[in-house]
Amino acid sequence: MELFTTILDELSSILWGYPMIILLVGTHLFLTIRLKFPQRKILTAIKLSVAKDKDGDGDVSQFGALATALAATIGTGNIVGVGTAIALGGPGAVFWCWITGVLGIATKYGEGLLAVKYRRVSEHGHMLGGPMYALEYGLKARWAGILFAIFTALAAFGIGSTVQANAISTLAEDVMGISPWVSGAIVTVLVAMVVIGGIKSIAKVCTALVPVMAVLYVVGCIVILCLNADYVWPAIRLICVSAFTPEAAGGGFVGSTVLVAARYGIARGLFSNESGLGSAPIVAAAAKTKNPVRQALVSSSGTFWDTVIICAITGIVIVSSVLSTVDMSAHDSSSVGRLFGHLLEMHTEQMDGGTLTKLAFSQIPYIGSPLLMFGLFTFAFSTILGWSIYASRAVEYVFGYRGVRIYVWINIAAVFAGSVISLGTVWTLADIFNALMAIPNLFALLLLSNVLVKDTDKYLWGGRLDDNEKSNMN
């Protein structure tokens, strides 16, 4: 078992090494330039996300599709993951995480466009789409679509169910002393009540849950920033300087070089917003929209909220909270980074991201810890719901609708199992399957970039966003 774990760790390191990061960031940059910086239309994207395309084809509203995608992407990684990136890569990792989000908007836009462009209507009358359909109908490579679908279904058992359920049960036991068997049973029943109803039921719950959980978490962060008002600007300055200056990154912890800061920041950004993984387009394909570009814009706003806003705020909160433990007036700017490294060692023996986040929220009297607990619970629960859609659609692509009914119950059982067992190598397996998902999806984006350019020029830059186009759904 130890040898098996070692092999998996090595494989994960290879798949998520610099080649993958270069491929992902390179795709972000390529699409940003080729599509003429669709990030410029982020305000239009936000406006469209709350509009209703009554004449559009689809199963759920554009906001419902966005909320479901955000439910899957806004997870424990936004809270704990950013802290982990800072602990391992230094404060400069926050900057690279943010940059990855800004550039990733273009990739998420491209994924959403292809999802609607190549979606199909199932025999039961609901919309099916995502990278597997773009691979099959856009590139005539069904074999690649099948591989993507299989990797998606397998990844969902890890990051989409067992890992999230384990996070909830562990939190309930640590904070409230509730047995994992009890909390696991409760979460399993709640998940079953929602996912059995399919995408419309999940979208309805996510539409109600996601705004509440996101707003409460952001309000908590703003309160902390107010408490740390004197340290916010030094934190922002340290984040920016550490991203480019090795000396400013600090000594005494892992993230002592710019390259390391960039690696952990980019990797955390990619895991946070999932731009390039190909997961979010699966639910984007179900949106009621007049044309592919409208939903592409709505999908791109998900990366904006997830990484550009939430992850950035979390990073500033953590860095300012660490700096608030000392008298900044006694240190000049050149020694701040070195001081930060020593403070990390003081506050957390293993430089664990969760410890850093708890340190930040503990500053809010009385409600700080409960607010963090609520955030972790809702983020993890919503991720289970979002990923259940991804996996169901993937299973339907390979095995048909009958396979979905079987999978739903297996997934529900996995939620309970994840609550009560030690996960061991599950995280590593999830990372591996996520990387294997990304590879065919990225090639689809690059090889179909001419399609993206054509539709973007027509609808977005041609001023025809309100035009109604019937997608190719035969």
Side-chain angles (χ1 to χ4, degrees), residues 11 16 25 44 52 92 105 118 121 128 151 172 176 189 191 201 205 230 236 246 287 392 457:
L11 180 58
W16 281 109
V25 176
T44 301
K52 291 184 178 181
I105 289 174
Y118 294 106
V121 179
L128 299 176
F151 295 145
M176 296 180 289
V189 171
V191 169
S201 173
V205 172
D230 293 337
I236 294 174
S392 294
D457 285 344

Side-chain angles (χ1 to χ4, degrees), residues 23-32 34-35 103-116 118 130-132 134-135 138-139 148 274-279 281 296 437-453 456:
L23 177 61
L24 276 160
V25 176
T27 302
H28 291 349
L29 281 169
F30 174 77
L31 292 179
T32 294
R34 190 95 200 276
L35 299 177
L103 296 176
I105 289 174
T107 300
K108 187 63 72 69
Y109 168 90
E111 291 176 320
L113 196 159
L114 293 180
V116 177
Y118 294 106
M132 51 277 204
L135 287 163
L139 296 177
F148 174 85
E274 296 181 11
S275 293
L277 289 186
S279 50
M437 285 172 59
I439 293 172
N441 177 60
L442 291 172
F443 279 108
L445 285 166
L446 294 173
L447 295 175
L448 292 171
S449 61
N450 286 337
V451 176
L452 297 176
V453 170
T456 300

Side-chain angles (χ1 to χ4, degrees), residues 37-81:
F37 293 82
Q39 292 91 335
R40 290 183 289 159
K41 292 292 185 177
I42 192 62
L43 293 179
T44 301
I46 294 172
K47 181 180 178 180
L48 287 175
S49 69
V50 295
K52 291 184 178 181
D53 279 3
K54 297 180 180 179
D55 298 329
D57 298 311
D59 298 326
V60 297
S61 67
Q62 289 179 310
F63 183 74
L66 173 64
T68 304
L70 281 173
T73 54
I74 299 181
T76 54
N78 294 82
I79 299 179
V80 178

Side-chain angles (χ1 to χ4, degrees), residues 160-206:
S161 56
T162 55
V163 168
Q164 305 300 330
N166 188 267
I168 293 173
S169 63
T170 300
L171 179 69
E173 185 175 28
D174 291 346
V175 177
M176 296 180 289
I178 299 176
S179 168
W181 292 87
V182 175
S183 60
I186 294 173
V187 172
T188 302
V189 171
L190 291 175
V191 169
M193 291 172 61
V194 179
V195 301
I196 290 176
I199 188 170
K200 291 184 178 181
S201 173
I202 293 174
K204 184 177 181 180
V205 172
C206 291

Side-chain angles (χ1 to χ4, degrees), residues 314-325:
T314 302
I316 297 172
V317 161
I318 292 175
V319 175
S320 65
S321 296
V322 174
L323 292 180
S324 70
T325 59

Side-chain angles (χ1 to χ4, degrees), residues 9 17-18 47 70 139 207 245 249 275 298 324 362 379 395 435 456:
D9 288 338
Y18 291 113
K47 181 180 178 180
L70 281 173
L139 296 177
T207 298
T245 309
S275 293
V298 173
S324 70
S362 65
F379 282 20
V395 169
T456 300

